Amino acid sequence: MCGIIGYIGTRPATPILIGGLKRLEYRGYDSAGLALLEPKSILTYRSVGKVAHLVEKVRLNLTPERQNELTVGIAHTRWATHGAPTEANAHPHYDKSRRICVVHNGIIENYRTIREKLQAKGHKFDSDTDTEALSRLIGECYRGDLRKAVINALRQIEGAYGIAVLCADEPDKMVVARKGSPLVIGIGEGECLVASDPSALVAHTQRVIYLDDGDVAVITPDLVDIRNLDDEPIERNVSELGLDVGAVEKGGYEHFMLKEIFEQPETVRNALRGRIDLKEGTAILSGMNATPAELAEIARIIVVGCGTSLHAGMVGEFAFEDVAGISTEVQQAAEFRYRNPIVDRNDMVIAISQSGETADTLAAIRKAKEKGTKVFGLVNVVGSAIAREAGRGVFIHAGPEISVASTKAFTGQVAVLLLMALKLGRTRRLSNEDSLKLAQEINRLPELVEYVLKQNDAIAKVAERMAQSDHAFFLGRGPMHPVALEGALKLKEISYVHAEGYHAAEMKHGPIALLTPGVPVVVLANHSPVLDKVWSNAEECKARGARIIAVVTEGEPKTDLADDTIVLPPCSPLVATIPAAVALQLLAYHVARLRGCSIDQPRNLAKSVTVE
Ligand code: AGP
């Protein structure tokens, strides 16, 4: 949920830390702070609100000449979990001696017990945070060796952490550690960095080490020494990031979200690249690392995820059942992890996550592994915890998704789910003809997305007529039901409109009572076997004064039911979920833009929910 960046080397640390915080701000942005090592002491600056406020505070307090002398530092942008977003609660946090300071991402679950023990020893806490319990505990454990102090402290805590620690008495090093929250080390020439995610490192290096849970690393300008919590040396590979600065810049778009919406022909192409066999009508998903026999014995699929990833999984349910004939259920990851799920060794559990760090999804995958079933990841961020925990699965290759509202990840996830269904279907009941047809249609997805993007201006006009309403409904049937849920989520999370997604048949069972004249109802009325039923549901809403925004398939007969129309390219209902989702992404984006909302960093949200 929070962003961490650290630097140790020979260049001035301050601009590097600030630049890193700006890249990480999407992870959480209610307060920020930084610490700089100076001979025999630590300087800290903290501020409430966005990183710009911290930049101003540093400018007022630290001359450029002084900044040039300080080459070791850590910094943090916060999404509050314990304690309101105040300056006192902003990171970094000190130990009692104020010679050690810590930035932390995660939740320390036993922090109250630790806090009480330390208070009994005379500690006077400066903040309400769980992090300060850790920083003070590290100080209590310090006997002249920072790594040992950090290890001894971490062995006493329960919960999740990604931390960077500085000590005024050991100015030549930084200690970092992770468990449950992402942390990646960047290796430069005579310098090292650490960050919550690679987007903060791309400007400085392509060489990275992804830390794993339980790793504790001492980093100096020329060395990375990784140990486990038993202080035993650990080997971790150096990977190539394969990202460029452009990938994390806005590229001329007003918002990251718009950039990422318009990247989707390319990102869907990336998700499909090298994975469609148009001759055999199947999919090549080597990352699944599963034998045909293993795939053939799958009796049931369970998909777990949260938010947008959960909605993608719901589309996947239709794909697996209708294409592959495999019984599938979708569970919210937090439910799966706590309900003692019924999982059989012949089940296939698929964990879907853009960030690969969502706490509930990570816990769900661990629960599935405990049950001894097959686990696969469907993830965007390479090196993420869920990707490594699953050990096998499929990356969607959507590139960094910076905007808090997920767009290209959703379409990449659904595209891969279609491929998985095609592959599994090919080993089961899918006929040669049907599989070739589906493979060809999936292969056309980039152009189907392009078709919708070309309607951006028309969709912006529809948004103008929608932006004044504080309520909205999204209705769909079949695989368009999860698309309706996703469209509602997009609208609510970036424009703060109270939007509800419903199964179209569900409206008359209660929600229709909410309809008042003029309320916009978006109806996914694409070509499908139940299209007439969808129009009937739209009619029921229209009769109550609703304003119908119909998402239709090109070539379908026109109807005066629709007050506004968005047109999809002709394709099957399952494949149409992706262009339909793009249309609703654009609709939500323009409504939020017209309502003057903070689109890339909506209030109360953060990009990766690494807490429960
Ligand atoms: C999507 O727009 C939301 N920001 C959120 O629901 C997100 O999809 C959810 O938190 C899951 O994240 P993940 O895909 O990284 O696991």
Side-chain angles (χ1 to χ4, degrees):
M1 306 289 277
C2 306
I4 289 176
I5 176 88
Y7 173 79
I8 184 165
T10 54
R11 291 189 287 156
T14 306
I16 294 169
L17 297 176
I18 295 289
L21 286 185
K22 286 179 177 168
R23 292 229 194 286
L24 294 169
E25 199 166 17
Y26 71 97
R27 296 177 61 87
Y29 32 83
D30 54 42
S31 55
L34 64 83
L36 296 162
L37 260 187
E38 50 178 10
K40 292 300 183 202
S41 70
I42 300 176
L43 271 177
T44 55
Y45 299 98
R46 300 182 295 182
S47 65
V48 179
K50 298 204 168 173
V51 171
H53 299 157
L54 178 66
V55 174
E56 183 58 12
K57 177 168 269 192
V58 170
R59 188 185 66 81
L60 294 173
N61 290 280
L62 208 54
T63 63
E65 296 72 26
R66 190 81 186 94
Q67 287 186 34
N68 289 341
E69 294 163 358
L70 306 173
T71 63
V72 184
I74 55 179
H76 182 273
T77 180
R78 184 171 182 245
W79 188 78
T81 55
H82 293 76
T86 61
E87 184 171 327
N89 288 335
H91 300 205
H93 288 288
Y94 281 109
D95 75 324
K96 189 176 182 181
S97 72
R98 300 183 75 77
R99 304 191 65 68
I100 290 173
C101 79
V102 178
V103 290
H104 165 234
N105 175 22
I107 285 189
I108 295 166
E109 296 179 357
N110 62 331
Y111 84 98
R112 289 185 197 286
T113 312
I114 294 169
R115 186 183 176 105
E116 284 156 14
K117 280 183 185 158
L118 293 174
Q119 284 171 326
K121 287 184 172 180
H123 285 249
K124 300 260 181 293
F125 279 67
D126 304 315
S127 78
D128 307 323
T129 66
D130 55 337
T131 305
E132 191 183 0
L134 175 58
S135 60
R136 287 177 176 269
L137 183 60
I138 291 171
E140 282 291 302
C141 298
Y142 188 69
R143 300 287 181 275
D145 181 326
L146 184 60
R147 183 184 72 226
K148 288 191 185 314
V150 169
I151 286 176
N152 291 337
L154 293 178
R155 290 164 66 102
Q156 299 177 53
I157 69 161
E158 294 152 25
Y161 57 79
I163 58 170
V165 188
L166 293 180
C167 176
D169 298 326
E170 299 184 43
D172 58 341
K173 68 179 65 132
M174 184 187 304
V175 176
V176 301
R178 75 150 282 167
K179 178 178 167 244
S181 293
L183 214 51
V184 54
I185 295 172
I187 299 170
E189 296 302 320
E191 62 183 29
C192 275
L193 299 98
V194 65
S196 306
D197 83 34
S199 62
L201 302 177
V202 286
H204 306 289
T205 181
Q206 289 290 313
R207 300 178 63 232
V208 295
I209 296 174
Y210 293 98
L211 290 183
D212 218 336
D213 282 357
D215 288 357
V216 180
V218 175
I219 55 178
T220 69
D222 304 300
L223 171 89
V224 177
D225 174 6
I226 304 175
R227 307 290 178 98
N228 61 19
L229 288 173
D230 294 324
D231 205 4
E232 297 157 343
I234 296 273
E235 278 304 311
R236 290 277 177 250
N237 298 330
V238 177
S239 315
E240 281 299 310
L241 257 187
L243 289 178
D244 60 36
V245 175
V248 292
E249 294 291 351
K250 286 185 191 169
Y253 287 92
E254 191 182 353
H255 297 102
F256 277 112
M257 184 176 178
L258 192 61
K259 174 191 174 201
E260 289 154 11
I261 289 172
F262 274 84
E263 281 177 340
Q264 289 177 108
E266 185 52 35
T267 54
V268 167
R269 195 171 287 115
N270 290 342
L272 302 175
R273 196 183 306 283
R275 294 170 167 170
I276 304 182
D277 180 337
L278 293 171
K279 208 159 62 54
E280 295 300 324
T282 186
I284 304 139
L285 299 171
S286 49
M288 288 181 73
N289 197 12
T291 62
E294 206 181 358
L295 295 179
E297 72 187 10
I298 291 168
R300 180 177 65 141
I301 296 172
I302 301 171
V303 181
V304 295
C306 302
T308 287
S309 294
L310 182 66
H311 296 155
M314 293 169 72
V315 175
E317 177 181 344
F318 287 92
F320 290 128
E321 295 199 344
D322 298 354
V323 172
I326 303 176
S327 171
T328 303
E329 64 178 88
V330 182
Q331 294 193 31
Q332 212 285 348
E335 273 310 303
F336 183 88
R337 72 179 287 194
Y338 284 119
R339 62 178 293 202
N340 188 17
I342 300 169
V343 183
D344 180 86
R345 62 182 301 282
N346 286 334
D347 288 340
M348 170 192 203
V349 173
I350 302 173
I352 303 180
S353 175
Q354 185 286 126
S355 62
E357 302 294 346
T358 298
D360 285 325
T361 311
L362 182 58
I365 209 169
R366 287 174 173 160
K367 172 71 78 174
K369 285 174 77 171
E370 278 169 26
K371 300 269 183 182
T373 189
K374 300 173 192 61
V375 170
F376 296 84
L378 206 173
V379 176
N380 187 34
V381 178
V382 176
S384 61
I386 290 170
R388 282 181 284 120
E389 192 74 36
R392 57 181 176 170
V394 187
F395 286 116
I396 66 171
H397 300 314
E401 189 175 67
I402 306 298
S403 181
V404 168
S406 187
T407 52
K408 61 181 183 175
F410 177 81
T411 51
Q413 289 162 351
V414 174
V416 170
L417 287 163
L418 294 175
L419 290 176
M420 292 171 98
L422 176 64
K423 182 177 185 63
L424 291 166
R426 206 70 185 91
T427 65
R428 285 170 168 77
R429 65 176 201 172
L430 199 58
S431 71
N432 195 42
E433 183 194 356
D434 288 346
S435 58
L436 285 168
K437 185 166 169 280
L438 179 55
Q440 278 148 15
E441 209 175 31
I442 293 172
N443 200 45
R444 288 182 49 231
L445 272 167
E447 66 191 70
L448 301 181
V449 171
E450 288 280 12
Y451 180 104
V452 173
L453 293 176
K454 288 193 177 98
Q455 297 179 66
N456 181 42
D457 293 344
I459 293 171
K461 284 261 177 294
V462 174
E464 279 172 23
R465 295 186 284 273
M466 194 173 163
Q468 286 71 38
S469 175
D470 289 332
H471 303 276
F473 286 88
F474 290 74
L475 308 182
R477 285 179 178 243
M480 287 297 179
H481 172 218
V483 175
L485 300 179
E486 176 58 15
L489 174 62
K490 286 288 93 55
L491 187 63
K492 72 181 84 172
E493 68 177 329
I494 64 172
S495 69
Y496 314 144
V497 167
H498 185 190
E500 292 297 335
Y502 273 105
H503 188 282
E506 192 55 23
M507 278 299 278
K508 55 185 170 298
H509 297 284
I512 204 164
L514 286 175
L515 284 187
T516 54
V519 168
V521 176
V522 179
V523 181
L524 290 154
N526 58 297
H527 175 75
S528 84
V530 290
L531 177 55
D532 57 338
K533 304 300 175 197
V534 171
W535 282 126
S536 302
N537 300 143
E539 181 87 65
E540 290 152 8
C541 296
K542 183 94 176 175
R544 274 101 187 150
R547 178 177 180 71
I548 302 299
I549 296 152
V551 182
V552 301
T553 301
E554 183 195 4
E556 286 292 319
K558 293 234 179 299
T559 163
D560 56 6
L561 251 181
D563 297 294
D564 281 304
T565 304
I566 298 172
V567 184
L568 299 180
C571 60
S572 66
L574 203 45
V575 171
T577 54
I578 288 180
V582 174
L584 301 190
Q585 291 165 4
L586 284 173
L587 189 60
Y589 172 80
H590 287 300
V591 169
R593 177 179 54 76
L594 291 163
R595 290 170 71 100
C597 296
S598 165
I599 290 173
D600 284 333
Q601 297 169 2
R603 68 186 180 204
N604 306 339
L605 296 183
K607 183 61 181 173
S608 177
V609 184
T610 53
V611 295
E612 290 193 43

